Amino acid sequence: MGRSSVRGEGARQRAPHASDHGLEEGPPHEGGEPSADSGHHRRRHGGGGGRAPRPRRRILRWSATILSVLILGTAGAGYLYYQHLNNNLETDDLNLGDHRAPEPTPNAAGQTPLNILLIGSDARDSKENQKLGGAKETFGGTPLADVQMLLHLSADRTNMSVISMPRDTLLSIPKCTDPDDGKVYEASTQRTMTNQSLGRGGPGCTVATWEKLTDIRINHFMEVDFSGVVSMADAIGGVPVCVDANIHSRDSEGHGSGLKLEKGTTYVKGEQALQWLRTRYGFDGGTDISRAKAQHMYMNALVRELRENANLGSPNKLRKLAETATSALKVDDGLGSVKALFDLSNELKKVSPERTTMTTMPFEYVGARVIPKPGDAEQLFRLVRDDISLDGKGKKKPAKEKVSDDPAADDGEIAVQVQNGTRTDVEPPVGGRASTVTQILAGKGFTKAAADTTTVLAQEKTVIKFPSADLEGDAQRIAKSLGMKLSSVKKSTDVSGVTLVVGADWREGNAPPKSKQDDKTPDSAEALNGSDKKACMHVDPNFTWK
């Protein structure tokens, strides 16, 4: 099914753009890499042209999402206005890949968590966005998903977590098909910056990329346009932010957002809020990671203001915010109405700031880019998959392992292929590992085990995959014989039969190592609690003033 918009659509040609060429704060050639993708992309009917700034949109787009959800949820008196607001909403396909992460297991009360991917496109697709973002040479260029935040609402609605992914994370983007023209974007053959996923058919490819990386089932996405964000920041009367020294984000070469604040707490709104959210030069470290921290602080303060600010009681202000928010949103079909957003808002409002946790995906540098940090990133993703709160409260009881109803065949009749997945980002694969483990299985009676000596993968944890329900029992039987937990058995359309992928955790020895499961949020995720009003950005001494 193709993407749609109740406002109407029109195709436009992509032009080359600069991925990091001064689209955030500085002069046109501030560093970075342009995208090599081309093709066409749909836009709203009547749109101007151009693309909006990347980091500026990064949190402001997210803010627009939160605003739209919370505001529409409190504007119950304006239900008759819904149809007009519905006409503002634009929809697109949820997942453009050929693989979906498994559905989560319901808790004892039959509830399931809700996962929403928040995407900030830097497309300069209107005159307003072009004016705010500059970089005229990128007019109509391929959009980048420079804001990517996974919002996880727990099954029992007691806590919420947000994981930000740095825009320059290098990973594998899966095969995606554009629903409009059927163009197929083959899976990347080498590690590619995650923000390029949006240009491969739309936000559904960004969703597919997240599901492939995390194995977390994503229920919805919200892509937020930059237009109207500044006025929305004005409408709520400002958001408190803090710096530990005077700051002026501008150097002699013109780098910087222009943000100028005195030490302490300041309520920022309009253009000043925009500057805060796009500031990289001036915060300690001067990196995209520092900017993400500032954005998390802003987001937490924004939500607190929305809950506490009595000035939002004006129907006119609520109506204005709802108008601009719905005009800025692009969502999947499941959220394609104000009623759906209203229902979602009621769910989100159940979580207090004290039970909200903001994190950044643990990473490590590879040159100027980053990759998911081995161990820590998967730990964070697993906590979300298992619906374990990141604030350390309300520990989830271990779920009882579910034994398949499918009876296993005799060991000697179970065909299993063994693949070598011991390669990591820092270590080469262990030579002959698939053959070695095949011999171990044969010694246990699985005489139809066969080694795939042509495939080498990077698999952090050893896993057993099966393609269909009639092979689940066989896969679980192999897991049991190796002393593995049944949770390591996964249904996957990537395999045609039972397949054991020997992970980096089993580089040697006759059995996968048994390790005690740790449900602690990794320190490298730099968690920030939503109720923390003392958080303050450290200022780079080179960007301070007296």
Side-chain angles (χ1 to χ4, degrees):
M1 182 179 78
R3 65 194 75 171
S4 65
S5 168
V6 293
R7 285 192 294 270
E9 303 174 336
R12 63 176 165 86
Q13 295 297 319
R14 290 186 177 129
H17 68 82
S19 170
D20 275 333
H21 291 238
L23 305 187
E24 335 163 339
E25 316 172 16
H29 298 286
E30 191 180 353
E33 300 173 356
S35 169
D37 292 333
S38 62
H40 94 278
H41 186 67
R42 287 197 181 261
R43 62 184 170 108
R44 297 175 184 146
H45 178 71
R51 51 187 282 192
R54 192 173 47 216
R56 301 183 183 185
R57 309 177 119 221
R58 181 169 289 237
I59 211 40
L60 285 176
R61 289 172 181 280
W62 198 95
S63 302
T65 298
I66 295 300
L67 280 167
S68 65
V69 170
L70 294 182
I71 291 167
L72 292 174
T74 58
Y79 186 80
L80 296 179
Y81 193 51
Y82 276 9
Q83 188 55 50
H84 169 73
L85 296 178
N86 280 340
N87 291 338
N88 287 341
L89 286 168
E90 185 176 3
T91 62
D92 212 332
D93 289 45
L94 175 61
N95 189 306
L96 302 183
D98 51 9
H99 170 72
R100 295 302 311 272
E103 293 276 6
T105 302
N107 62 15
Q111 302 165 302
T112 55
L114 191 63
N115 296 305
I116 305 171
L117 188 62
L118 309 176
I119 305 170
S121 165
D122 75 344
R124 281 161 167 73
D125 54 4
S126 72
K127 291 181 179 179
E128 182 180 359
N129 287 338
Q130 183 69 61
K131 179 180 178 181
L132 289 167
K136 294 181 179 180
E137 71 279 4
T138 64
F139 186 89
T142 304
L144 297 172
D146 276 341
V147 183
Q148 296 181 39
M149 297 182 178
L150 181 65
L151 185 154
H152 172 82
L153 185 62
S154 67
D156 60 7
R157 305 307 191 246
T158 62
N159 65 89
M160 183 167 65
S161 307
V162 176
I163 300 177
S164 294
M165 182 187 294
R167 67 179 185 210
D168 55 358
T169 301
L170 298 174
L171 43 72
S172 175
I173 298 178
K175 175 182 177 181
C176 293
T177 302
D178 191 313
D180 294 325
D181 60 7
K183 181 175 180 178
V184 176
Y185 295 84
E186 296 295 342
S188 57
T189 56
Q190 57 186 5
R191 292 186 303 193
T192 305
M193 284 175 59
T194 182
N195 61 358
Q196 293 186 25
S197 60
L198 185 61
R200 298 176 181 240
C205 192
T206 305
V207 170
T209 300
W210 269 80
E211 288 204 7
K212 178 179 180 180
L213 174 68
T214 67
D215 211 26
I216 296 170
R217 182 81 170 203
I218 295 176
N219 306 99
H220 301 290
F221 76 80
M222 291 183 175
E223 181 186 328
V224 190
D225 203 327
F226 183 72
S227 303
V229 173
V230 171
S231 61
M232 290 169 65
D234 281 334
I236 65 171
V239 173
V241 297
C242 177
V243 287
D244 64 359
N246 295 344
I247 182 174
H248 187 197
S249 178
R250 183 71 70 197
D251 66 10
S252 59
E253 298 179 358
H255 298 122
S257 68
L259 178 71
K260 190 172 185 179
L261 296 176
E262 294 183 353
K263 177 181 178 180
T265 299
T266 303
Y267 273 77
V268 296
K269 59 182 180 178
E271 291 287 346
Q272 199 171 45
L274 188 68
Q275 291 172 338
W276 172 272
L277 297 169
R278 69 186 288 244
T279 294
R280 175 161 64 95
Y281 291 96
F283 291 143
D284 190 33
T287 67
D288 189 54
I289 308 305
S290 301
R291 178 165 46 211
K293 293 179 182 178
Q295 292 167 353
H296 287 167
M297 291 181 188
Y298 183 94
M299 287 161 47
N300 282 337
L302 171 67
V303 173
R304 292 195 300 268
E305 286 297 304
L306 287 171
R307 285 176 172 269
E308 301 169 4
N309 192 341
N311 292 334
L312 289 179
S314 165
N316 287 334
K317 288 184 178 181
L318 286 173
R319 188 154 46 248
K320 180 180 178 181
L321 286 169
E323 184 83 42
T324 55
T326 53
S327 295
L329 280 174
K330 179 185 287 186
V331 297
D332 64 281
D333 291 332
L335 290 180
S337 70
V338 175
K339 175 63 166 59
L341 292 175
F342 176 81
D343 292 341
L344 175 60
S345 74
N346 286 333
E347 296 295 291
L348 294 176
K349 286 189 296 184
K350 295 176 182 178
V351 181
S352 68
E354 291 77 14
R355 297 301 312 278
T356 300
T357 306
M358 303 283 179
T359 65
T360 299
M361 180 197 74
F363 65 90
E364 61 184 30
Y365 281 98
V366 175
R369 307 301 179 195
V370 302
I371 59 172
K373 184 175 182 179
D376 283 10
E378 172 54 29
Q379 168 78 346
L380 188 63
F381 299 150
R382 182 186 65 79
L383 293 178
V384 172
R385 280 198 305 268
D386 292 348
D387 198 26
I388 298 172
S389 61
L390 300 187
D391 59 9
K393 301 176 183 178
K395 292 291 185 181
K396 181 181 178 182
K397 294 181 180 180
K400 185 178 180 180
E401 292 194 319
K402 183 176 182 294
V403 178
S404 174
D405 295 330
D406 170 55
D410 293 337
D411 291 353
E413 296 299 319
I414 296 177
V416 54
Q417 186 179 68
V418 182
Q419 295 179 335
N420 186 346
T422 58
R423 186 184 68 217
T424 71
D425 291 314
V426 295
E427 293 181 296
V430 178
R433 192 60 182 154
S435 297
T436 299
V437 173
T438 297
Q439 294 174 6
I440 293 172
L441 286 173
K444 293 178 176 291
F446 296 95
T447 54
K448 287 191 175 182
D452 177 0
T453 59
T454 63
T455 302
V456 177
L457 306 171
Q459 177 74 41
E460 188 172 351
K461 301 289 185 180
T462 299
V463 64
I464 301 173
K465 300 179 180 181
F466 65 95
S468 55
D470 61 320
L471 292 176
E472 183 177 16
D474 292 353
Q476 289 191 352
R477 171 60 192 148
I478 293 171
K480 184 177 180 180
S481 71
L482 292 172
M484 297 169 61
K485 291 184 177 181
L486 296 187
S487 58
S488 63
V489 177
K490 309 283 186 182
K491 185 176 182 180
S492 173
T493 57
D494 295 336
V495 296
S496 57
V498 177
T499 303
L500 168 62
V501 183
V502 183
D505 61 335
W506 192 13
R507 293 175 66 87
E508 59 184 9
N510 293 329
K514 295 182 179 180
S515 58
K516 184 178 180 180
Q517 186 164 282
D518 179 11
D519 289 341
K520 180 178 179 295
T521 300
D523 292 338
S524 56
E526 299 189 351
L528 177 66
N529 187 270
S531 64
D532 187 351
K533 297 182 179 181
K534 296 182 179 180
C536 205
M537 287 302 296
H538 297 298
V539 175
D540 183 336
N542 294 318
F543 288 85
T544 193
W545 56 277
K546 296 182 179 180

PDB file of all heavy atoms in Angstrom, residues 474-502:
ATOM      1  N   ASP A 474      11.871 -28.823  17.197  1.00  0.00           N
ATOM      2  CA  ASP A 474      13.226 -29.284  16.860  1.00  0.00           C
ATOM      3  C   ASP A 474      14.275 -28.283  17.342  1.00  0.00           C
ATOM      4  O   ASP A 474      15.312 -28.662  17.898  1.00  0.00           O
ATOM      5  CB  ASP A 474      13.362 -29.469  15.352  1.00  0.00           C
ATOM      6  CG  ASP A 474      12.525 -30.634  14.826  1.00  0.00           C
ATOM      7  OD1 ASP A 474      11.956 -31.373  15.657  1.00  0.00           O
ATOM      8  OD2 ASP A 474      12.436 -30.782  13.598  1.00  0.00           O
ATOM      9  N   ALA A 475      13.984 -26.988  17.118  1.00  0.00           N
ATOM     10  CA  ALA A 475      14.935 -25.944  17.528  1.00  0.00           C
ATOM     11  C   ALA A 475      15.104 -25.922  19.041  1.00  0.00           C
ATOM     12  O   ALA A 475      16.222 -25.794  19.561  1.00  0.00           O
ATOM     13  CB  ALA A 475      14.449 -24.585  17.010  1.00  0.00           C
ATOM     14  N   GLN A 476      13.980 -26.077  19.774  1.00  0.00           N
ATOM     15  CA  GLN A 476      14.065 -26.087  21.234  1.00  0.00           C
ATOM     16  C   GLN A 476      14.806 -27.325  21.741  1.00  0.00           C
ATOM     17  O   GLN A 476      15.514 -27.258  22.759  1.00  0.00           O
ATOM     18  CB  GLN A 476      12.668 -26.013  21.846  1.00  0.00           C
ATOM     19  CG  GLN A 476      12.000 -24.661  21.686  1.00  0.00           C
ATOM     20  CD  GLN A 476      10.741 -24.539  22.525  1.00  0.00           C
ATOM     21  OE1 GLN A 476      10.273 -25.525  23.123  1.00  0.00           O
ATOM     22  NE2 GLN A 476      10.179 -23.345  22.571  1.00  0.00           N
ATOM     23  N   ARG A 477      14.669 -28.423  21.042  1.00  0.00           N
ATOM     24  CA  ARG A 477      15.376 -29.648  21.439  1.00  0.00           C
ATOM     25  C   ARG A 477      16.888 -29.443  21.352  1.00  0.00           C
ATOM     26  O   ARG A 477      17.645 -29.868  22.229  1.00  0.00           O
ATOM     27  CB  ARG A 477      14.924 -30.810  20.545  1.00  0.00           C
ATOM     28  CG  ARG A 477      15.730 -32.089  20.710  1.00  0.00           C
ATOM     29  CD  ARG A 477      15.671 -32.630  22.120  1.00  0.00           C
ATOM     30  NE  ARG A 477      16.674 -33.678  22.326  1.00  0.00           N
ATOM     31  CZ  ARG A 477      17.275 -33.904  23.468  1.00  0.00           C
ATOM     32  NH1 ARG A 477      16.988 -33.162  24.542  1.00  0.00           N
ATOM     33  NH2 ARG A 477      18.165 -34.880  23.584  1.00  0.00           N
ATOM     34  N   ILE A 478      17.346 -28.773  20.298  1.00  0.00           N
ATOM     35  CA  ILE A 478      18.779 -28.504  20.152  1.00  0.00           C
ATOM     36  C   ILE A 478      19.240 -27.565  21.262  1.00  0.00           C
ATOM     37  O   ILE A 478      20.316 -27.753  21.856  1.00  0.00           O
ATOM     38  CB  ILE A 478      19.059 -27.880  18.772  1.00  0.00           C
ATOM     39  CG1 ILE A 478      18.768 -28.912  17.677  1.00  0.00           C
ATOM     40  CG2 ILE A 478      20.493 -27.401  18.675  1.00  0.00           C
ATOM     41  CD1 ILE A 478      18.796 -28.341  16.282  1.00  0.00           C
ATOM     42  N   ALA A 479      18.446 -26.545  21.566  1.00  0.00           N
ATOM     43  CA  ALA A 479      18.802 -25.612  22.642  1.00  0.00           C
ATOM     44  C   ALA A 479      18.952 -26.355  23.965  1.00  0.00           C
ATOM     45  O   ALA A 479      19.913 -26.132  24.720  1.00  0.00           O
ATOM     46  CB  ALA A 479      17.739 -24.520  22.749  1.00  0.00           C
ATOM     47  N   LYS A 480      17.999 -27.229  24.257  1.00  0.00           N
ATOM     48  CA  LYS A 480      18.047 -27.972  25.516  1.00  0.00           C
ATOM     49  C   LYS A 480      19.295 -28.843  25.586  1.00  0.00           C
ATOM     50  O   LYS A 480      19.942 -28.947  26.633  1.00  0.00           O
ATOM     51  CB  LYS A 480      16.792 -28.832  25.651  1.00  0.00           C
ATOM     52  CG  LYS A 480      16.710 -29.576  26.981  1.00  0.00           C
ATOM     53  CD  LYS A 480      15.403 -30.354  27.082  1.00  0.00           C
ATOM     54  CE  LYS A 480      15.328 -31.096  28.425  1.00  0.00           C
ATOM     55  NZ  LYS A 480      14.053 -31.874  28.542  1.00  0.00           N
ATOM     56  N   SER A 481      19.658 -29.463  24.475  1.00  0.00           N
ATOM     57  CA  SER A 481      20.831 -30.354  24.478  1.00  0.00           C
ATOM     58  C   SER A 481      22.121 -29.571  24.712  1.00  0.00           C
ATOM     59  O   SER A 481      23.092 -30.123  25.228  1.00  0.00           O
ATOM     60  CB  SER A 481      20.911 -31.117  23.156  1.00  0.00           C
ATOM     61  OG  SER A 481      21.274 -30.250  22.088  1.00  0.00           O
ATOM     62  N   LEU A 482      22.133 -28.300  24.337  1.00  0.00           N
ATOM     63  CA  LEU A 482      23.322 -27.468  24.513  1.00  0.00           C
ATOM     64  C   LEU A 482      23.279 -26.669  25.812  1.00  0.00           C
ATOM     65  O   LEU A 482      24.201 -25.910  26.109  1.00  0.00           O
ATOM     66  CB  LEU A 482      23.478 -26.503  23.337  1.00  0.00           C
ATOM     67  CG  LEU A 482      23.804 -27.126  21.988  1.00  0.00           C
ATOM     68  CD1 LEU A 482      23.735 -26.081  20.884  1.00  0.00           C
ATOM     69  CD2 LEU A 482      25.194 -27.783  22.022  1.00  0.00           C
ATOM     70  N   GLY A 483      22.205 -26.829  26.580  1.00  0.00           N
ATOM     71  CA  GLY A 483      22.098 -26.089  27.837  1.00  0.00           C
ATOM     72  C   GLY A 483      21.725 -24.627  27.645  1.00  0.00           C
ATOM     73  O   GLY A 483      21.974 -23.795  28.528  1.00  0.00           O
ATOM     74  N   MET A 484      21.108 -24.308  26.509  1.00  0.00           N
ATOM     75  CA  MET A 484      20.721 -22.930  26.228  1.00  0.00           C
ATOM     76  C   MET A 484      19.287 -22.687  26.690  1.00  0.00           C
ATOM     77  O   MET A 484      18.456 -23.591  26.692  1.00  0.00           O
ATOM     78  CB  MET A 484      20.834 -22.655  24.733  1.00  0.00           C
ATOM     79  CG  MET A 484      22.243 -22.779  24.178  1.00  0.00           C
ATOM     80  SD  MET A 484      22.288 -22.754  22.354  1.00  0.00           S
ATOM     81  CE  MET A 484      21.593 -21.122  22.019  1.00  0.00           C
ATOM     82  N   LYS A 485      18.982 -21.429  27.050  1.00  0.00           N
ATOM     83  CA  LYS A 485      17.621 -21.064  27.421  1.00  0.00           C
ATOM     84  C   LYS A 485      16.735 -21.077  26.181  1.00  0.00           C
ATOM     85  O   LYS A 485      17.192 -20.803  25.066  1.00  0.00           O
ATOM     86  CB  LYS A 485      17.602 -19.669  28.056  1.00  0.00           C
ATOM     87  CG  LYS A 485      18.268 -19.611  29.428  1.00  0.00           C
ATOM     88  CD  LYS A 485      18.121 -18.224  30.041  1.00  0.00           C
ATOM     89  CE  LYS A 485      18.707 -18.181  31.441  1.00  0.00           C
ATOM     90  NZ  LYS A 485      18.554 -16.844  32.078  1.00  0.00           N
ATOM     91  N   LEU A 486      15.448 -21.356  26.383  1.00  0.00           N
ATOM     92  CA  LEU A 486      14.529 -21.386  25.251  1.00  0.00           C
ATOM     93  C   LEU A 486      14.353 -20.000  24.636  1.00  0.00           C
ATOM     94  O   LEU A 486      13.939 -19.879  23.487  1.00  0.00           O
ATOM     95  CB  LEU A 486      13.175 -21.942  25.691  1.00  0.00           C
ATOM     96  CG  LEU A 486      13.166 -23.403  26.181  1.00  0.00           C
ATOM     97  CD1 LEU A 486      11.734 -23.856  26.423  1.00  0.00           C
ATOM     98  CD2 LEU A 486      13.860 -24.316  25.175  1.00  0.00           C
ATOM     99  N   SER A 487      14.674 -18.950  25.394  1.00  0.00           N
ATOM    100  CA  SER A 487      14.575 -17.588  24.850  1.00  0.00           C
ATOM    101  C   SER A 487      15.591 -17.342  23.746  1.00  0.00           C
ATOM    102  O   SER A 487      15.475 -16.379  22.993  1.00  0.00           O
ATOM    103  CB  SER A 487      14.775 -16.562  25.962  1.00  0.00           C
ATOM    104  OG  SER A 487      16.033 -16.739  26.604  1.00  0.00           O
ATOM    105  N   SER A 488      16.572 -18.232  23.613  1.00  0.00           N
ATOM    106  CA  SER A 488      17.567 -18.096  22.549  1.00  0.00           C
ATOM    107  C   SER A 488      17.079 -18.717  21.249  1.00  0.00           C
ATOM    108  O   SER A 488      17.763 -18.660  20.227  1.00  0.00           O
ATOM    109  CB  SER A 488      18.894 -18.747  22.962  1.00  0.00           C
ATOM    110  OG  SER A 488      18.719 -20.140  23.169  1.00  0.00           O
ATOM    111  N   VAL A 489      15.878 -19.304  21.279  1.00  0.00           N
ATOM    112  CA  VAL A 489      15.269 -19.885  20.076  1.00  0.00           C
ATOM    113  C   VAL A 489      14.337 -18.845  19.475  1.00  0.00           C
ATOM    114  O   VAL A 489      13.409 -18.374  20.129  1.00  0.00           O
ATOM    115  CB  VAL A 489      14.500 -21.174  20.411  1.00  0.00           C
ATOM    116  CG1 VAL A 489      13.810 -21.721  19.171  1.00  0.00           C
ATOM    117  CG2 VAL A 489      15.446 -22.204  21.014  1.00  0.00           C
ATOM    118  N   LYS A 490      14.576 -18.446  18.244  1.00  0.00           N
ATOM    119  CA  LYS A 490      13.841 -17.355  17.615  1.00  0.00           C
ATOM    120  C   LYS A 490      13.238 -17.787  16.279  1.00  0.00           C
ATOM    121  O   LYS A 490      13.912 -18.420  15.464  1.00  0.00           O
ATOM    122  CB  LYS A 490      14.774 -16.157  17.348  1.00  0.00           C
ATOM    123  CG  LYS A 490      15.596 -15.704  18.539  1.00  0.00           C
ATOM    124  CD  LYS A 490      14.792 -14.913  19.523  1.00  0.00           C
ATOM    125  CE  LYS A 490      15.678 -14.354  20.622  1.00  0.00           C
ATOM    126  NZ  LYS A 490      14.884 -13.606  21.641  1.00  0.00           N
ATOM    127  N   LYS A 491      12.000 -17.394  16.061  1.00  0.00           N
ATOM    128  CA  LYS A 491      11.395 -17.596  14.746  1.00  0.00           C
ATOM    129  C   LYS A 491      11.933 -16.525  13.806  1.00  0.00           C
ATOM    130  O   LYS A 491      11.998 -15.343  14.165  1.00  0.00           O
ATOM    131  CB  LYS A 491       9.878 -17.511  14.827  1.00  0.00           C
ATOM    132  CG  LYS A 491       9.185 -17.835  13.511  1.00  0.00           C
ATOM    133  CD  LYS A 491       7.666 -17.839  13.671  1.00  0.00           C
ATOM    134  CE  LYS A 491       6.979 -18.206  12.363  1.00  0.00           C
ATOM    135  NZ  LYS A 491       5.502 -18.220  12.498  1.00  0.00           N
ATOM    136  N   SER A 492      12.330 -16.923  12.603  1.00  0.00           N
ATOM    137  CA  SER A 492      12.930 -15.973  11.670  1.00  0.00           C
ATOM    138  C   SER A 492      12.661 -16.385  10.232  1.00  0.00           C
ATOM    139  O   SER A 492      12.774 -17.570   9.879  1.00  0.00           O
ATOM    140  CB  SER A 492      14.446 -15.876  11.907  1.00  0.00           C
ATOM    141  OG  SER A 492      15.068 -15.092  10.915  1.00  0.00           O
ATOM    142  N   THR A 493      12.317 -15.407   9.428  1.00  0.00           N
ATOM    143  CA  THR A 493      12.124 -15.677   7.997  1.00  0.00           C
ATOM    144  C   THR A 493      13.440 -15.604   7.231  1.00  0.00           C
ATOM    145  O   THR A 493      13.460 -15.782   6.022  1.00  0.00           O
ATOM    146  CB  THR A 493      11.128 -14.664   7.406  1.00  0.00           C
ATOM    147  OG1 THR A 493      11.616 -13.332   7.633  1.00  0.00           O
ATOM    148  CG2 THR A 493       9.761 -14.809   8.042  1.00  0.00           C
ATOM    149  N   ASP A 494      14.528 -15.348   7.946  1.00  0.00           N
ATOM    150  CA  ASP A 494      15.841 -15.260   7.302  1.00  0.00           C
ATOM    151  C   ASP A 494      16.440 -16.637   7.027  1.00  0.00           C
ATOM    152  O   ASP A 494      17.469 -16.738   6.352  1.00  0.00           O
ATOM    153  CB  ASP A 494      16.818 -14.453   8.184  1.00  0.00           C
ATOM    154  CG  ASP A 494      16.396 -13.015   8.332  1.00  0.00           C
ATOM    155  OD1 ASP A 494      15.672 -12.514   7.453  1.00  0.00           O
ATOM    156  OD2 ASP A 494      16.789 -12.381   9.333  1.00  0.00           O
ATOM    157  N   VAL A 495      15.835 -17.687   7.577  1.00  0.00           N
ATOM    158  CA  VAL A 495      16.374 -19.037   7.400  1.00  0.00           C
ATOM    159  C   VAL A 495      15.314 -19.930   6.788  1.00  0.00           C
ATOM    160  O   VAL A 495      14.111 -19.674   6.887  1.00  0.00           O
ATOM    161  CB  VAL A 495      16.855 -19.622   8.749  1.00  0.00           C
ATOM    162  CG1 VAL A 495      18.012 -18.800   9.303  1.00  0.00           C
ATOM    163  CG2 VAL A 495      15.712 -19.683   9.763  1.00  0.00           C
ATOM    164  N   SER A 496      15.745 -20.996   6.139  1.00  0.00           N
ATOM    165  CA  SER A 496      14.827 -21.934   5.500  1.00  0.00           C
ATOM    166  C   SER A 496      14.654 -23.219   6.303  1.00  0.00           C
ATOM    167  O   SER A 496      13.789 -24.038   6.007  1.00  0.00           O
ATOM    168  CB  SER A 496      15.332 -22.289   4.094  1.00  0.00           C
ATOM    169  OG  SER A 496      16.643 -22.832   4.161  1.00  0.00           O
ATOM    170  N   GLY A 497      15.477 -23.386   7.332  1.00  0.00           N
ATOM    171  CA  GLY A 497      15.397 -24.556   8.205  1.00  0.00           C
ATOM    172  C   GLY A 497      16.001 -24.208   9.544  1.00  0.00           C
ATOM    173  O   GLY A 497      16.454 -23.082   9.774  1.00  0.00           O
ATOM    174  N   VAL A 498      16.015 -25.157  10.468  1.00  0.00           N
ATOM    175  CA  VAL A 498      16.610 -24.908  11.778  1.00  0.00           C
ATOM    176  C   VAL A 498      18.083 -24.535  11.586  1.00  0.00           C
ATOM    177  O   VAL A 498      18.838 -25.260  10.920  1.00  0.00           O
ATOM    178  CB  VAL A 498      16.478 -26.139  12.693  1.00  0.00           C
ATOM    179  CG1 VAL A 498      17.167 -25.884  14.028  1.00  0.00           C
ATOM    180  CG2 VAL A 498      15.008 -26.483  12.897  1.00  0.00           C
ATOM    181  N   THR A 499      18.463 -23.394  12.149  1.00  0.00           N
ATOM    182  CA  THR A 499      19.820 -22.875  11.949  1.00  0.00           C
ATOM    183  C   THR A 499      20.407 -22.414  13.272  1.00  0.00           C
ATOM    184  O   THR A 499      19.816 -21.591  13.979  1.00  0.00           O
ATOM    185  CB  THR A 499      19.815 -21.690  10.964  1.00  0.00           C
ATOM    186  OG1 THR A 499      19.217 -22.109   9.723  1.00  0.00           O
ATOM    187  CG2 THR A 499      21.224 -21.189  10.697  1.00  0.00           C
ATOM    188  N   LEU A 500      21.564 -22.961  13.616  1.00  0.00           N
ATOM    189  CA  LEU A 500      22.282 -22.549  14.807  1.00  0.00           C
ATOM    190  C   LEU A 500      23.366 -21.550  14.394  1.00  0.00           C
ATOM    191  O   LEU A 500      24.279 -21.899  13.631  1.00  0.00           O
ATOM    192  CB  LEU A 500      22.916 -23.760  15.498  1.00  0.00           C
ATOM    193  CG  LEU A 500      23.932 -23.483  16.613  1.00  0.00           C
ATOM    194  CD1 LEU A 500      23.282 -22.736  17.762  1.00  0.00           C
ATOM    195  CD2 LEU A 500      24.569 -24.783  17.101  1.00  0.00           C
ATOM    196  N   VAL A 501      23.250 -20.308  14.877  1.00  0.00           N
ATOM    197  CA  VAL A 501      24.271 -19.295  14.594  1.00  0.00           C
ATOM    198  C   VAL A 501      25.156 -19.179  15.827  1.00  0.00           C
ATOM    199  O   VAL A 501      24.712 -18.730  16.886  1.00  0.00           O
ATOM    200  CB  VAL A 501      23.641 -17.930  14.263  1.00  0.00           C
ATOM    201  CG1 VAL A 501      24.738 -16.931  13.895  1.00  0.00           C
ATOM    202  CG2 VAL A 501      22.642 -18.057  13.125  1.00  0.00           C
ATOM    203  N   VAL A 502      26.396 -19.596  15.684  1.00  0.00           N
ATOM    204  CA  VAL A 502      27.342 -19.564  16.798  1.00  0.00           C
ATOM    205  C   VAL A 502      27.802 -18.128  16.989  1.00  0.00           C
ATOM    206  O   VAL A 502      28.446 -17.546  16.119  1.00  0.00           O
ATOM    207  CB  VAL A 502      28.551 -20.484  16.526  1.00  0.00           C
ATOM    208  CG1 VAL A 502      29.489 -20.504  17.731  1.00  0.00           C
ATOM    209  CG2 VAL A 502      28.092 -21.897  16.167  1.00  0.00           C
TER     210      VAL A 502
END
